[in-house]
Structure formats: C-alpha cells, structure tokens
C-alpha cells in the first residue's frame, strides 16, 4: 500500500488589495470595504476593533460605526492549519465639522483701522485647509495668517471657511467686517474770545470734527485730556492764555491741533 501526503509548515501571507475609503487620511464616510487575499488557499477570520474574531470573506464590509479610530484585524489559515500573523487595517473616522475663530489680527482687531495692510489670524479646532475671501474675491494661500495689503479706504469683508482632513466642511463661514480709514479728521474751533486782550476772566469754546471722533483739550500748558463741546473756562488769572483741541477718529487717526490765544488784563492803568 502507498500513502501520499503533503507537508506544509509555512503560514499564508495576506495581501490587502483595496480599502475604501483609503486609510491614509481620516474619513467622514460611515462605511468601509476591505478587499484581501492570501498567498495560498485559506480561510479568513476578521476581528472588528475589540470584538471577537469571526469567519469572513473578501470583501469585508461594515457600516454604522462610531467616530474615532478603528481597526480590522485579518488572519488567514491554510488547509494545513497554518495561520498567518494578524494583519491590521486601521483608519480614523471623523464626522465632526471643524470650528473657526479669529486669532491675532495685526495691527488692530478694531472695526476701524488706520492701516492699508492687515495680518488676519484664524484658529481652527483641528487641522484644516482654509479658504478665504476679501470682498468676495478669493485670497491666495490656505494657511493662517492671511496677509492683505494695499487696502483702499472704506468698508471691507473678510470671510473664511475650512475643510478638515476628513473632508468635513465648517458649518458656517467666519466673517469679519472692518473699515480702513487712513485720513485724519479735520477740526473746527471757535471761541467767545479768540485773540487780543480782554477784561473777562472766562472764555467758552466750541469745536467739531469732520467725522466721528473723540476730542482732547488742553488749556494753557496742561496735558491734553478728553473733552466735549461746548467747553467753558472760568476764574482765569491775568496774563496770556491758550486753548488747544485735537480729535482722534475711530481708526486712531489724529487731527492737527487748532488753537486760540488771548490775554486777560483786569488791572487799571
């Protein structure tokens, strides 16, 4: 009698032919399909994350999993009972849209700025590709900060959206409206006594600016302090006096400083 058999001590090798979606980057798809094969005739088991392994066949498909990291572990066993080393296929599921907020804006984050050049920082909740527009026109670059230059005076709108590595878009655009103002305000000043000599020991002043502004006044040699029109000064002593006023607009532009000078003389000759 003759007996024949085959001796096989070699474990099969597993080859992954396709993974959809690809595992190189996070995915926002809620299903996965993995196609695989062995270097010889074999049966397969699959283990999903921490679940027990179960018999499976290619392609393995699964849907309805949660956000986060996942691993499918494959084992092939040939007809001689040799089992392959576990072959893991891992990927990350991300179903959450990124959120955006403004970071540092230089030279000013105010609604009114006195610079034609701005650096606008954008902070994201995760790694993203940014897409920004200024006044509806796309800006170059996809990273923060965005540099905008040679801005004309007037109102501008900066808007930015984001797409994360899993292709989730931000829910809404992050928008900032600002006004470039490069022009200093002009100031008009009038006084009850604006020159010459007087016996009056009081004076009153009225002033206005060409745009919305904060006023700063100084009587004689005093330091400029916030003030409002009209302004009165009483109980002034004999001698020379001066009154100065300047305006600072919403963008921080400072006006020239108009002034009036007069002399009080209450002494009889």
């Amino acid at each position: 009698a003759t007996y024949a058999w085959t001796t096989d001590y070699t474990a099969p090798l597993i080859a992954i032919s396709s993974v959809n979606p690809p595992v190189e980057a996070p995915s926002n798809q809620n299903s996965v399909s993995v196609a695989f094969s062995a270097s010889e005739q074999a049966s397969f088991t699959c283990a999903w994350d921490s679940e027990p392994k179960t018999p499976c066949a290619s392609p393995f498909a699964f849907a309805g999993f949660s956000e986060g990291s996942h691993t499918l572990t494959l084992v092939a066993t040939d007809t001689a009972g040799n089992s392959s080393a576990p072959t893991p296929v891992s990927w990350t599921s991300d179903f959450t849209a990124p959120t955006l907020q403004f970071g540092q804006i230089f030279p000013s984050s105010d609604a009114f700025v006195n610079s034609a050049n701005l650096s606008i920082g954008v902070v994201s909740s995760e790694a993203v590709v940014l897409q920004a527009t200024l006044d509806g026109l796309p800006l170059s670059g996809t990273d923060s900060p965005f540099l905008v230059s040679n801005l004309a005076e007037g109102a501008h709108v900066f808007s930015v959206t984001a797409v994360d590595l899993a292709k989730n878009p931000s829910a809404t655009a992050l928008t900032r409206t600002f006004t470039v103002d490069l022009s200093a305000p002009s100031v008009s000043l009038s006084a009850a006594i604006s020159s010459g000599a007087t016996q009056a020991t009081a004076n009153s002043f009225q002033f206005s600016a060409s745009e919305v502004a904060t006023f700063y006044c100084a009587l004689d040699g005093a330091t400029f302090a916030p003030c409002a029109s009209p302004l009165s000064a009483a109980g002034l002593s004999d001698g020379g006096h001066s009154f100065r006023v300047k305006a600072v607009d919403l963008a921080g532009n400072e006006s020239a400083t108009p002034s009036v000078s007069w002399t009080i003389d209450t002494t009889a000759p």
Side-chain angles (χ1 to χ4, degrees):
T2 301
Y3 299 94
W5 68 91
T6 299
T7 302
D8 179 2
Y9 305 129
T10 303
L13 301 176
I14 294 178
I16 306 297
S17 55
S18 68
V19 180
N20 185 32
V23 297
E24 289 79 10
S27 169
N28 61 2
Q29 295 187 36
N30 197 23
S31 62
V32 66
S33 175
V34 180
F36 49 89
S37 61
S39 56
E40 57 183 297
Q41 183 178 353
S43 58
F44 295 92
T45 59
C46 296
W48 174 260
D49 289 341
S50 59
E51 297 295 323
K53 63 183 180 180
T54 57
C56 60
S58 179
F60 173 89
F62 190 83
F65 44 84
S66 61
E67 188 174 60
S69 298
H70 298 282
T71 299
L72 175 68
T73 303
L74 301 167
V75 174
T77 302
D78 64 18
T79 55
N82 301 299
S83 294
S84 69
T87 300
V89 180
S90 299
W91 67 95
T92 299
S93 298
D94 177 4
F95 310 133
T96 302
T99 58
L100 300 176
Q101 63 182 12
F102 283 110
Q104 184 179 24
I105 300 178
F106 184 83
S108 174
S109 60
D110 294 338
F112 290 82
V113 296
N114 61 359
S115 173
N117 306 306
L118 284 180
S119 171
I120 303 175
V122 178
V123 179
S124 174
S125 58
E126 57 181 300
V128 294
V129 174
L130 298 171
Q131 297 175 321
T133 64
L134 180 68
D135 301 331
L137 299 177
L139 294 174
S140 61
T142 57
D143 296 317
S144 174
F146 289 92
L147 304 178
V148 292
S149 57
N150 300 318
L151 294 170
E153 284 195 292
H156 298 277
V157 178
F158 173 86
S159 182
V160 61
T161 58
V163 177
D164 67 16
L165 300 182
K167 307 303 182 185
N168 297 301
S170 53
T172 58
L174 182 66
T175 301
R176 189 175 194 86
T177 300
F178 61 95
T179 298
V180 174
D181 179 2
L182 308 176
S183 302
S186 58
V187 175
S188 298
L189 169 64
S190 63
I193 305 168
S194 59
S195 64
T198 179
Q199 291 182 323
T201 59
N203 204 350
S204 61
F205 314 95
Q206 291 187 330
F207 40 88
S208 61
S210 57
E211 57 182 297
V212 177
T214 300
F215 292 98
Y216 297 86
C217 300
L219 182 64
D220 297 333
T223 302
F224 278 99
C227 57
S229 180
L231 180 68
S232 297
L236 300 174
S237 61
D238 276 18
H241 295 277
S242 65
F243 175 82
R244 297 173 294 159
V245 62
K246 62 182 179 180
V248 178
D249 66 18
L250 297 177
N253 299 300
E254 186 173 309
S255 72
T257 307
S259 64
V260 293
S261 298
W262 72 101
T263 299
I264 297 176
D265 182 3
T266 61
T267 304

